[in-house]
Amino acid sequence: MHVSVEQAREMLSALLSPPGHETVPLQGALGRTLAAPLRALVSHPSATESALDGIACREADTLGATPGAPARLRVVGESRAGLPFPASVGPGECTRIYTGAPMPAGADAICPVEELLDDGPEHVLLRRPASPGDVRREGGDFRAGEEVMAAGLPLTAPRVALAAALGHQTLPVRRRFRVALLSTGDEVVEPGQLLRPGQVYDSNRYGLAAMLAECGCEVVMLGHAPDSVEALEEAVARSGGADLLVTSGGVSMGRYDFMRDLLIDHGRVAFWKVRMRPGGPAILGGWKGLPVIGLPGNPVSSLVVFHVIVRPALTGQPLQALTLRAATPFRALGDKAAFWRGVIRGGQVHDYGQQGSGILRSLSDADALVIVPEGQPVAVGDDVQVVLL
Ligand code: AMP
Ligand code: MG
């Protein structure tokens, strides 16, 4: 039942029912995941247009123009953004033109306003030749009908802008997962309450709720339950309609680790224990048809398991690792992948130092998790895979 991190991720993904789709307005699309490919409904630019303010003319009329011997053109009208020049530009003629305004028929080049002098009310002098390069070609960004965005893309701010530019008012997105969250443990106390010796404030529930929010999930806060199977059953029964229940605490080998007992004795178990540190005792299973992932109580363990196993399963996005040079050694474990906390300085990754799974600051102060595969220690100067936090 001891699975690898990759197996754990796949088993969790397999337990989650596919989230289904819904349609949201552009304004509510940030952070959602595109559920279907998006095609351009129009081309952008929709016509060949000027990239600057100046005049539009025929390049041939302006060749050889210099400040001492400027070209002289007659101004026959103007082209504004959204208000094109209705006629055609002939030889020796030009129109005034502004950024984003369509190129008039007959014109093929632009001369910027900085290079122009007025010569009476109807003529301009060009101190240099007009340039055909100062236009934006029709469809230069995308063409009508082109598939521009693929299904599965996370909708970042630039992608929301792109979807709007494609002409879509609403977007098909994956439904949010509804995730119930419960922390357990007799010693676990709500922040703000008096803390007696041996007790600990409930950091996991708030850390995990924040991570679930980052994943775009709807969080059902079940609060906190003491260490007893009955209390857990009562709390779990309140997670109605959730796609997944995430719990913290009570999954190791101890006598009072009842979350483990609940799944083993009353539910079903897909895996218990992942070959990783921190986070080894995590358990995956189900209780009355509800998928449940039980995270360890140790604060670093619960958040790291969430980061490397739960987040990728909920978002459908693979864990993004990058390669950095190790500035300090990182030890390997014989039979587990290690996720040591690292600090990035000068493009290299350093050991954070304190790597205990109860040292929450090792996670909040760290920049990255350094992945050390089973039995493969990292020496100074080696390349290592790191996951940014
Ligand atoms: P457990 O997994 O229940 O054996 O707990 C392991 C350690 O994590 C213990 O030191 C607990 O006090 C601590 N712990 C459990 N739950 C939480 C929590 N919600 N917030 C902070 N620490 C916790
Ligand atoms: Mg406990």
Side-chain angles (χ1 to χ4, degrees), residues 95-370:
T95 66
R96 298 204 187 271
I97 195 163
Y98 308 98
T99 305
M103 282 294 276
D108 58 14
I110 300 285
C111 186
V113 69
E114 294 81 358
E115 303 293 341
L116 300 177
L117 291 171
D118 284 335
D119 185 20
E122 282 189 11
H123 290 85
V124 285
L125 299 174
L126 284 67
R127 292 145 48 90
R128 69 158 171 79
S131 154
D134 287 329
V135 298
R136 305 171 182 153
R137 298 271 161 222
E138 176 185 349
D141 194 356
F142 48 79
R143 299 203 151 273
E146 189 182 335
E147 185 182 309
V148 179
M149 297 170 80
L153 271 188
L155 290 165
T156 57
R159 287 174 181 153
V160 173
L162 179 58
L166 298 179
H168 297 274
Q169 209 178 6
T170 59
L171 301 180
V173 296
R174 291 196 189 143
R175 194 174 61 75
R176 287 176 197 279
F177 278 117
R178 208 172 133 83
V179 180
L181 179 59
L182 175 72
S183 61
T184 73
D186 286 339
E187 78 288 22
V188 173
V189 174
E190 183 69 12
Q193 307 286 310
L194 183 70
L195 193 79
R196 289 197 295 275
Q199 295 185 322
V200 62
Y201 285 129
D202 191 350
S203 57
N204 289 349
R205 188 151 50 89
Y206 291 96
L208 292 169
M211 287 184 143
L212 284 166
E214 281 177 349
C215 294
C217 296
E218 190 189 324
V219 184
V220 181
M221 278 288 201
L222 296 183
H224 163 262
D227 288 317
S228 82
V229 168
E230 298 70 37
L232 290 177
E233 280 190 323
E234 183 279 320
V236 172
R238 287 187 282 115
S239 52
D243 297 292
L244 174 69
L245 168 65
V246 175
T247 68
S248 113
V251 294
S252 333
M253 308 285 276
R255 181 164 176 188
Y256 300 99
D257 285 332
F258 289 118
M259 206 50 225
R260 175 207 59 205
D261 293 349
L262 179 77
L263 292 183
I264 292 177
D265 299 340
H266 304 277
R268 62 196 162 72
V269 176
F271 68 69
W272 180 34
K273 296 192 175 171
V274 185
R275 295 199 306 275
M276 67 183 288
R277 188 184 297 167
I283 190 167
L284 176 73
W287 191 80
K288 295 190 178 169
L290 171 70
V292 181
I293 181 139
L295 306 179
N298 272 313
V300 177
S301 305
S302 65
L303 298 184
V304 169
V305 174
F306 189 97
H307 202 81
V308 304
I309 295 174
V310 185
R311 179 196 299 265
L314 286 174
T315 59
Q317 303 297 324
L319 195 63
Q320 297 280 357
L322 53 107
T323 306
L324 285 182
R325 176 89 24 108
T328 56
F330 290 93
R331 82 188 165 97
L333 303 168
D335 55 351
K336 295 179 172 83
F339 293 85
W340 303 129
R341 273 70 72 210
V343 178
I344 300 172
R345 253 182 276 124
Q348 301 197 335
V349 61
H350 301 246
D351 190 335
Y352 174 79
Q354 293 199 67
Q355 296 288 354
S357 51
I359 306 294
L360 196 42
R361 290 177 64 178
S362 75
L363 205 54
S364 68
D365 293 356
D367 302 307
L369 296 174
V370 178

Side-chain angles (χ1 to χ4, degrees), residues 36-69:
L38 279 193
R39 288 184 183 281
L41 302 179
V42 294
S43 297
H44 181 251
S46 54
T48 296
E49 58 191 35
S50 176
L52 27 91
D53 298 326
I55 53 112
C57 61
R58 295 162 177 254
E59 184 189 17
D61 290 342
T62 67
L63 294 176
T66 62

